Amino acid sequence: MKKLICLCLALAMAMSLAACGKKAPEETTAATSAPSVEGTMEELVNKIIEKRPVEFSGGSIVIDLADTSEDGQWIVKSYTGLEDASVLTDAAAYEPMMGSIAFSLVAVRVAPDADAKAVGERMKSGIDPRKWICVEADDLLVAGYGDVVMLIMVSSTGGMTAQSFVDAFQTVVGGTCDFVI
């Protein structure tokens, strides 16, 4: 009987130590990690468009980050402004179905070891606001929240502003942007 009680007490003590050992790292990680945006980047882009509707027919596209072909790299550069997708884990864009409207909304999730603001700066400096044949975006902002960076470029002649999409982004993610450049 004494052996059974000792065994039960030893087992209870081992389980309590194991439970304590699991809690501490989770609490530390939660306290130090940046806010995270739930869902895919395609879902985020669609929610932003729902919050800040556009007056043209458009659609979202998931950017294939695994496509390392010449065409795949061109697509990454065209949408994100980045030379390669090595710092990204997910990306989507929303653009008009007609190429004569200067509008591009892109959301990317940066890799855990990447600096979101540095990625945003590279996106802004690398994007071509004249990527369409006959039109140019003259209002461009890049905003970040946690591990997500949003690039928005529009033509101010269309009555839209990049800031209105940054405001919608903040509403959708439920917080103030870490940066807007």
Side-chain angles (χ1 to χ4, degrees):
M1 186 69 168
K2 288 181 184 180
K3 288 181 182 181
L4 183 60
I5 292 173
C6 287
L7 182 63
C8 288
L9 288 172
L11 185 61
M13 188 167 69
M15 288 197 308
S16 67
L17 288 174
C20 290
K22 288 181 183 175
K23 265 189 182 175
E26 289 175 0
E27 290 172 5
T28 303
T29 302
T32 60
S33 63
S36 182
V37 176
E38 296 294 321
T40 67
M41 293 300 94
E42 182 181 26
E43 292 167 341
L44 175 64
V45 163
N46 289 329
K47 287 178 185 176
I48 293 168
I49 295 298
E50 283 176 24
K51 191 57 133 170
R52 173 45 178 101
V54 293
E55 295 180 10
F56 55 80
S57 293
S60 59
I61 178 173
V62 175
I63 301 167
D64 184 0
L65 302 176
D67 184 354
T68 57
S69 70
E70 188 176 329
D71 285 344
Q73 293 301 307
W74 178 84
I75 288 170
V76 168
K77 174 72 173 164
S78 175
Y79 284 111
T80 70
L82 299 171
E83 293 296 327
D84 65 76
S86 63
V87 294
L88 307 178
T89 62
D90 188 12
Y94 189 95
E95 292 204 350
M97 291 184 186
M98 299 286 295
S100 61
I101 300 171
F103 179 92
S104 185
L105 172 66
V106 180
V108 301
R109 186 177 308 276
V110 300
D113 58 343
D115 177 5
K117 187 172 184 182
V119 170
E121 289 168 346
R122 285 178 38 211
M123 289 173 68
K124 187 168 186 176
S125 66
I127 198 69
D128 180 6
R130 288 196 51 83
K131 70 179 189 172
W132 305 277
I133 295 172
C134 301
V135 294
E136 178 178 3
D138 60 351
D139 188 6
L140 186 146
L141 288 173
V142 176
Y145 181 81
D147 61 351
V148 172
V149 177
M150 180 194 74
L151 178 144
I152 176 68
M153 58 182 177
V154 301
S155 171
S156 59
T157 60
M160 295 182 285
T161 65
Q163 185 60 52
S164 66
F165 289 92
V166 171
D167 295 342
F169 173 62
Q170 290 183 121
T171 300
V172 170
V173 299
T176 304
C177 289
D178 299 329
F179 62 87
V180 177
I181 47 178

